[in-house]
């Protein structure tokens, strides 16, 4: 039994890309997805799954440490600005669209007494 995984990047002002763009995996095997990003104020990397006719659901948020949730596992390399997401023991119900997204910290403008704007 074979099934297909499709990947779609979520974009904002920061750049996010995923590879491969689609992947066919044999049942019981591991699918590996890669996400590369450019974010000046990186905070976390999110992985979403959207099954057919359903809303996307967040399955993982990576801050620094590797994580495993059910058959999903992920890791983050902040130095290389990249993340890896694995679907182990793949089943037909894992056939879906997978998204990676970057969460960046917002900078807050603060007005100083001399009316110059500072960023914190």
């Amino acid at each position: 039994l074979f099934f297909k995984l499709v990947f779609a990047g979520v974009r904002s002002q920061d750049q996010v890309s995923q590879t491969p763009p689609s992947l066919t995996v044999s049942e019981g095997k591991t699918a590996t997805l890669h996400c590369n990003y450019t974010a000046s104020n990186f905070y976390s990397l999110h992985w979403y799954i959207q099954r057919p006719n359903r809303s996307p659901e967040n399955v993982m948020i990576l801050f620094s440490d590797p994580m495993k949730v059910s058959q999903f596992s992920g890791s983050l390399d902040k130095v290389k600005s990249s993340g890896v997401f694995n679907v182990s023991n793949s089943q037909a119900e894992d056939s879906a669209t997978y998204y990676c997204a970057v969460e960046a910290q917002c900078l807050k403008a603060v007005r100083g007494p001399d009316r110059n704007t500072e960023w914190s």
Side-chain angles (χ1 to χ4, degrees), residues 28-91:
K29 300 295 183 183
T30 298
T32 301
L33 322 172
H34 298 271
C35 183
N36 296 298
Y37 62 87
T38 303
S40 55
N41 298 306
F42 177 83
Y43 182 69
S44 62
L45 181 67
H46 297 243
W47 285 97
Y48 294 85
I49 181 171
Q50 185 173 14
R51 292 183 171 92
N53 303 314
R54 296 187 53 194
S55 298
E57 57 182 290
N58 190 319
V59 292
M60 189 172 295
I61 302 173
L62 296 167
F63 296 97
S64 59
D65 295 330
M67 180 180 266
K68 181 163 177 48
V69 178
S70 186
Q71 82 271 29
F72 304 121
S73 62
S75 62
L76 175 65
D77 186 337
K78 290 183 181 178
V79 173
K80 294 182 179 178
S81 298
S82 65
V84 175
F85 184 78
N86 296 297
V87 182
S88 59
N89 192 26
S90 301
Q91 302 299 315

Side-chain angles (χ1 to χ4, degrees), residues 1-7 22-31 49 71-72 87-98:
L1 174 66
F2 292 91
F3 58 94
K4 193 170 194 171
L5 304 178
V6 179
F7 314 111
S22 72
L23 178 64
T24 301
V25 181
S26 300
E27 188 170 10
K29 300 295 183 183
T30 298
I49 181 171
Q71 82 271 29
F72 304 121
V87 182
S88 59
N89 192 26
S90 301
Q91 302 299 315
E93 58 267 18
D94 296 322
S95 185
T97 300
Y98 292 79

